[in-house]
Amino acid sequence: MDVASYAEACAADGLRGDYSACRPDFTVEQDYGAYGAEDHAVWRALFERQSQLAAEMAHPSFLDGLRNLNVGDRIPDFDQVNAELHQRTGWTLVGVPGLIPADAFFKHLAARRFPTTNWIRSADEFDYIVEPDLFHDFFGHVPLLSLPVFADFMQLYGATGQRAIAAGNVEPVTRLYWYTAEYGLIREAGGPLKAYGAGLMSSAGELPHAVHGPGVRRRPAVLADIVRTSYEIDKYQRVYFVLDSFEALFQALQSDDLDAVLSAAAKEPAVDPATR
Ligand code: HBI
Ligand code: FE
């Protein structure tokens, strides 16, 4: 889809990003100088709250990644972060005005570029926002991009997504992203249950719910199950899928029958997460 028609569709959907300055690949300058005092204050307060929750509930590699990024007091400057991140795993953050079309999103991931929204929510949206903003994209997704196996998974996910669009399997592949990169839990051999998904890491309510909540459905992260399970974007998840290791996630995308699993899932009605 070209930028002009996508911009129009986003405006019609009530998405708030400014798509008028987009390049053909949907990237925009971060425009660091445009952030005001309230923007930095919202970042700082969100950062402090989520860092405290993460210290207890995040996978140690998320915490290592967060520390390596050297951010906290002010909205991170993508250029400064890129100097560090690119050296670690070859990933680069690129600014975007918000959600972009799936084909453009996958193409960036496949090239180790992470589309990062350049605006942050306002103070009155502190606890909840439907659209991904800079806090979600950065705090949620970027720390694990400094873990080599997860960095490789995200690239391969992008390539898989491009193939899935061509094959008509975009829904199953999107469910995989949702239940791993966004809402994934992990329990390594004999260890405690931890969170790694960005939707959890950026949410003060759902993170403790997913990790500690009583009566929460947590199922083994089996690829064929995940890609058949539908999801809802505006409430807590009805089921979470628990990985054994990040290596297993990367390997799932390397299995010989991956495309067959995705095609089969695309042909069946989705499973309701509340019944998993
Ligand atoms: N765009 N900026 C942005 N961030 C996303 O997470 C995103 C997107 N466009 C499409 C998309 N996600 C979905 O198709 C994913 O589930 C793959
Ligand atoms: Fe996200």
Side-chain angles (χ1 to χ4, degrees), residues 1-21:
M1 199 186 280
D2 68 275
V3 171
S5 28
Y6 190 76
E8 218 169 277
C10 288
D13 280 354
L15 290 182
R16 76 174 72 168
D18 176 9
Y19 292 79
S20 65

Side-chain angles (χ1 to χ4, degrees), residues 40-251:
H40 291 293
V42 166
W43 167 273
R44 187 178 313 117
L46 285 167
F47 183 90
E48 279 171 13
R49 180 173 72 176
Q50 292 308 119
S51 298
Q52 282 184 21
L53 293 170
E56 190 222 327
M57 290 174 247
H59 186 275
S61 294
F62 178 96
L63 298 173
D64 288 345
L66 189 58
R67 218 172 294 119
N68 292 336
L69 291 170
N70 261 317
V71 296
D73 263 15
R74 293 170 64 76
I75 291 177
D77 181 326
F78 297 168
D79 290 339
Q80 279 175 21
V81 168
N82 282 337
E84 166 80 18
L85 182 63
H86 191 267
Q87 184 190 324
R88 281 186 189 271
T89 56
W91 276 79
T92 304
L93 309 184
V94 292
V96 288
L99 288 171
I100 64 174
D103 58 346
F105 183 68
F106 292 144
K107 190 172 180 187
H108 283 300
L109 296 185
R112 291 194 176 233
R113 290 190 296 262
F114 191 74
T116 310
T117 301
N118 71 349
W119 53 267
I120 193 160
R121 70 194 73 180
S122 61
D124 42 308
E125 295 164 305
F126 194 73
D127 288 313
Y128 181 72
I129 178 168
V130 186
E131 286 175 68
D133 72 336
L134 187 151
F135 185 76
H136 166 82
D137 283 341
F138 192 101
F139 188 92
H141 288 284
V142 180
L144 276 185
L145 292 177
S146 59
L147 177 67
V149 66
F150 200 84
D152 290 348
F153 160 73
M154 289 288 279
Q155 175 184 9
L156 186 53
Y157 176 79
T160 304
Q162 291 183 293
R163 233 173 38 242
I165 289 182
N169 298 336
V170 73
E171 276 200 58
V173 90
T174 299
R175 293 175 195 142
L176 177 65
Y177 193 82
W178 190 260
Y179 284 114
T180 60
E182 295 293 357
Y183 289 95
L185 295 174
I186 181 168
R187 187 198 297 275
E188 291 167 333
L193 183 68
K194 295 290 183 181
Y196 70 91
L200 295 176
M201 302 317 309
S202 59
S203 166
E206 192 163 0
L207 175 56
H209 167 81
V211 176
H212 296 306
V216 169
R217 314 170 79 82
R218 302 183 187 91
R219 297 290 178 256
V222 175
L223 177 73
D225 293 345
I226 293 174
V227 299
R228 281 178 172 76
T229 308
S230 60
Y231 61 86
E232 289 175 293
I233 65 165
D234 55 356
K235 27 174 96 74
Y236 288 1
Q237 301 310 302
R238 305 304 178 96
V239 67
Y240 300 92
F241 289 96
V242 184
L243 282 179
D244 297 328
S245 67
F246 291 122
E247 285 73 17
L249 179 60
F250 182 50
Q251 280 161 17

